[in-house]
Amino acid sequence: MDTKKIGKPKTIEDAKRVNIYISKKAHEKAKKIGGGNFSAGVTKLINEYANKANT
């Protein structure tokens, strides 16, 4: 069964599109953390790091 969603992707309020250069290994790790979504994985990692850094 194909699980790809059709239609416009989810948008984030006050978001900015950026390009980054990252290793294939780091890309796959972030994608796995984000449940298959690279951007979600990067966002989750940044938020968790920021929370730990502020404590």
Side-chain angles (χ1 to χ4, degrees), residues 12 39-54:
I12 302 169
S39 292
V42 171
T43 300
K44 183 175 182 176
L45 288 166
I46 291 169
N47 288 336
E48 287 182 11
Y49 177 85
N51 288 338
K52 286 181 182 180
N54 290 331

Side-chain angles (χ1 to χ4, degrees), residues 23-40:
S23 71
K24 290 179 184 179
K25 189 174 182 179
H27 177 267
E28 288 302 316
K29 286 181 181 182
K31 193 172 173 183
K32 185 176 181 180
I33 290 166
N37 182 310
F38 173 72
S39 292

Side-chain angles (χ1 to χ4, degrees), residues 5-17 37 39-40 43:
K5 295 180 180 179
I6 298 173
K8 184 178 178 182
K10 178 182 170 186
T11 57
I12 302 169
E13 190 174 321
D14 192 34
K16 179 178 181 177
R17 182 181 176 99
N37 182 310
S39 292
T43 300

